Amino acid sequence: MYLNTLPRGETAIIDRVEPQGVSDPIMKRLVELGFVSGEPVQVIAIGPMGGNPIAVRIGSTRFALRREEAARVHLRGAS
Amino acid sequence: MDASVTTLYAALVGNPNCGKTALFNQLTGSRQKVANYAGVTVERKEGRLVTPGGHPVRLLDLPGAYSLQATSPDEDVTRAVCLGEHSSEPRPQLLICVADATNLRLHLRFVLEIRQLGVPMILVLNMMDEAERRGMTIDIKGLAHELGVPVIPAISVRTGGAARVLEALDAPLPAPPPPLPEGADAHVEVRRILAAFVSSEDLREATLADRLDHWFLHPVIGPLILLIVLFVMFQTVFSWAQPIMDSLESGVAHLGVLVGSLLPDSMLRSLLVDGVIAGAGTVIVYLPQILILFLWILALEESGYLPRAAFLLDRIMAAAGLSGRSFIPLLSSFACAIPGIMAARTIQNPRDRLVTILVAPLMTCSARLPVYTLLIGAFIPQRTVLGVLGLQGLVLFGLYAVAILSGLIVARVMTRGTASAEHPLLLELPAYRVPSLRNLAMGLWQRATIFLSRVGTIIVTLNVLLWALSSFPAPPAGTTGAAIDWSLAGRIGHWMQPVFAPIGFNWQICVSLIPGLAAREVAVSALATVYALGATGDDAAGQLTPLLSAQWSLATALSLLAWYVYAPQCLSTLAVIRRETNSWKFVAGTATYLFALAYGAAFVTYHVARLLGGG
């Protein structure tokens, strides 16, 4: 399961962040922002139009990101 | 060398939202210089301070960055200065790394990255009051020992909250910190350090941010709140500013009369009164509106709400090929495109930033209102439609709606095909804070001085130029009719007429378009001049209304309205685009596409109106 499909209000543990393409600056930035293995992440809000972008919380830090970006974050405990 | 007389060169570095700028304001007070870094429009803030021990310090406030792997022009400046690779900035002797104590999980990683540089550094743990309030305890001594750098607690929003930072600057430069062992993972290090020295905050209890976000980011309530915020904002921008603007306007007029009465009737008097004073007046009259707008933007920015607004509007902006970040600059452009274009600096993606700047002039700025009001008052009957809606109000609303829609479409067209690389939203939603008056005041002061000194000089220069065009050559003695008719501007107006005939403009309109380039609303008084009314300002509109409705066809009036929706009738905006993009090419491009749109829209409007019997 990836972060883009995690329902609102749910918390999951990040497994890894996967690159899209050979050199993926967005994946690098996600990692720098703390999207790393073992961190719990919670979806706190979804956008008003079509549920995109989403807002997530890691620790006490909140981020808004589009589902395309969230699709790089693989979550633990699911296929 | 005696350390007591040499100036220490230090730089503040840290994540966005770490309270770095508030700390900078605390440390340097009003001794700040705001400029740009050479060649890029990244704001460069430098200040001076003297430590309690009498050491002078030059302090640079580097742009906030998440990483030294730069992804924006801002971060690139920070990277280059920290690494000593910047072409015009020397490497700082001391890096003052600022981290939010309540957000160490994110900020400590960047601290470790800075520590790897091997430059003398100190770590300032900011917002210690908030950390204590949340029940966090931080082992400052242990952390300092572990990191090998001095660690100083601070509360940058409180007066005196930076006292210990000042004291630390008196101490001899600390030794460069030891680097991490080869191959160490920064995230693992962060987790280890947090576990050892920071008692984790209690996350079970819902924080203020959680509760506020529940409503502000709510899919239904959130957009409603945003609408209310925007509505109140526009109300204040237009209604609060109006009395001040009116008194400034009459003040400028009085000054003109006063100077005019002191000088004999001469070219010098005309230059001073009609060129310099009237030109500076158009800038100063809009200042209250611009300041109120800036105050709103600064307050919304400081409070942490702006990124939430970007979150809510990201989809609409994405439909235009942009992201939520473009929202604020475009919003500001409804008051005036100049602060709007300046606000585009906050957009990190260079393509998004450029497109935002280029479509900003399409947003209906307040200077178009006098023109709209005049034409609607003269040509649109005061009828009600569907029982409650005024036809005049509907037309005005329609003009705004067409402009917004056009802006989105133009942005879509400009971004088409260039979106090969995905450009992310990836926006931090910082903690909510009550904006500090000190930071608001300093931010407002800085923006006002930038506006007045840089933009103001350009506008006054252009006004003087337009004055010369409208005054020379003077009409021969004994002639009747408008003097402007004899001038270069008048002649250019006549030459332009064949070009503008297909869209229904007569020569009077063409002539008034030229002084109208200084500022859109000047076209109203220019029309009055051309029709030899000899009246100016509000007065002119009152006398013009019956005259215009008698002399112009409805098709001509509608065509001029359509023209004003698009035409880049504002040299100041073009001057700011030049300054912000560093390129005449984009200025030429913007002017060309806007004139083309204006001509096309006016052409279609004129001919459709004639076909429907409005000729």
Side-chain angles (χ1 to χ4, degrees), chain B residues 509-578:
Chain B
I509 298 179
C510 294
V511 172
S512 75
L513 288 180
I514 296 170
L517 281 172
R520 290 178 173 89
E521 74 281 8
V522 174
V524 175
S525 56
L527 270 176
T529 316
V530 179
Y531 280 107
L533 282 176
T536 51
D538 300 340
D539 221 26
Q543 295 182 35
L544 266 175
T545 305
L547 201 104
L548 293 188
S549 51
Q551 294 209 358
W552 294 3
S553 69
L554 177 64
T556 293
L558 292 178
S559 165
L560 186 57
L561 278 176
W563 171 267
Y564 258 92
V565 170
Y566 298 102
Q569 281 281 66
C570 176
L571 289 176
S572 319
T573 300
L574 295 177
V576 173
I577 293 178
R578 161 74 185 88

Side-chain angles (χ1 to χ4, degrees), chain B residues 103-236:
Chain B
N103 205 356
L104 282 177
R105 200 195 48 79
L106 175 65
H107 291 188
L108 208 51
R109 197 207 63 83
F110 189 45
V111 172
L112 292 180
E113 205 179 340
I114 295 291
R115 184 167 163 265
Q116 288 296 92
L117 296 174
V119 175
M121 72 179 270
I122 58 177
L123 171 62
V124 175
L125 283 185
N126 204 0
M127 306 186 195
M128 284 300 285
D129 53 341
E130 177 65 19
E132 275 164 32
R133 216 181 50 76
R134 292 192 196 175
M136 294 170 68
T137 47
I138 300 173
D139 177 2
I140 304 255
K141 272 193 186 144
L143 191 59
H145 183 76
E146 171 68 33
L147 293 173
V149 303
V151 177
I152 296 141
I155 307 165
S156 64
V157 291
R158 191 180 298 165
T159 313
R164 295 183 62 181
V165 181
L166 282 173
E167 283 167 28
L169 289 174
D170 262 333
L173 275 185
L180 284 176
E182 197 70 30
D185 178 9
H187 290 287
V188 176
E189 277 294 295
V190 167
R191 248 179 267 173
R192 188 180 60 75
I193 293 171
L194 287 183
F197 303 105
V198 181
S199 82
S200 66
E201 59 182 308
D202 192 356
L203 281 176
R204 281 167 304 174
E205 195 191 337
T207 59
L208 176 70
D210 286 323
R211 273 175 276 138
L212 288 176
D213 274 344
H214 178 74
W215 296 111
F216 286 161
L217 302 183
H218 190 279
V220 181
I221 312 286
L224 270 179
I225 296 175
L226 177 62
L227 264 180
I228 294 170
V229 168
L230 293 182
F231 180 77
V232 173
M233 176 171 163
F234 271 94
Q235 265 318 106
T236 55

Side-chain angles (χ1 to χ4, degrees), chain B residues 400-451:
Chain B
Y400 272 83
V402 165
I404 295 171
L405 204 64
S406 308
L408 293 179
I409 293 171
V410 168
R412 176 76 259 179
V413 171
M414 282 182 183
T415 52
R416 226 186 49 196
T418 57
S420 50
E422 183 181 354
H423 59 122
L425 177 66
L426 216 54
L427 189 65
E428 188 184 349
L429 304 173
Y432 289 99
R433 284 194 192 100
V434 179
S436 102
L437 280 179
R438 183 195 177 94
N439 289 338
L440 288 186
M442 295 202 64
L444 203 55
W445 171 248
Q446 279 163 3
R447 284 172 204 217
T449 41
I450 289 174
F451 178 77

Side-chain angles (χ1 to χ4, degrees), chain B residues 53-106:
Chain B
H55 296 104
V57 179
R58 265 175 67 208
L59 187 63
L60 188 66
D61 183 19
L62 287 170
Y66 288 106
S67 160
L68 291 177
Q69 308 284 319
T71 60
S72 70
D74 286 43
E75 287 191 336
D76 203 44
V77 165
T78 301
R79 184 199 63 83
V81 173
C82 287
L83 265 61
E85 290 175 0
H86 198 278
S87 55
S88 58
E89 305 285 336
R91 192 176 198 178
Q93 295 161 286
L94 174 71
L95 290 174
I96 305 173
C97 205
V98 187
D100 177 353
T102 65
N103 205 356
L104 282 177
R105 200 195 48 79
L106 175 65

Side-chain angles (χ1 to χ4, degrees), chain A residues 3-60:
Chain A
L3 181 58
N4 58 327
T5 54
L6 190 67
R8 182 179 165 202
E10 301 270 306
T11 304
I13 306 290
I14 295 173
D15 177 39
R16 61 179 186 276
V17 183
E18 297 169 352
Q20 288 185 358
V22 189
S23 158
D24 187 359
I26 297 174
M27 173 230 156
K28 278 187 202 144
R29 184 40 60 104
L30 281 167
V31 172
E32 283 164 352
L33 292 178
F35 289 80
V36 287
S37 181
E39 290 287 340
V41 58
Q42 184 192 17
V43 176
I44 56 169
I46 57 170
M49 278 160 284
N52 200 4
I54 59 171
V56 302
R57 193 178 77 166
I58 302 184
S60 58

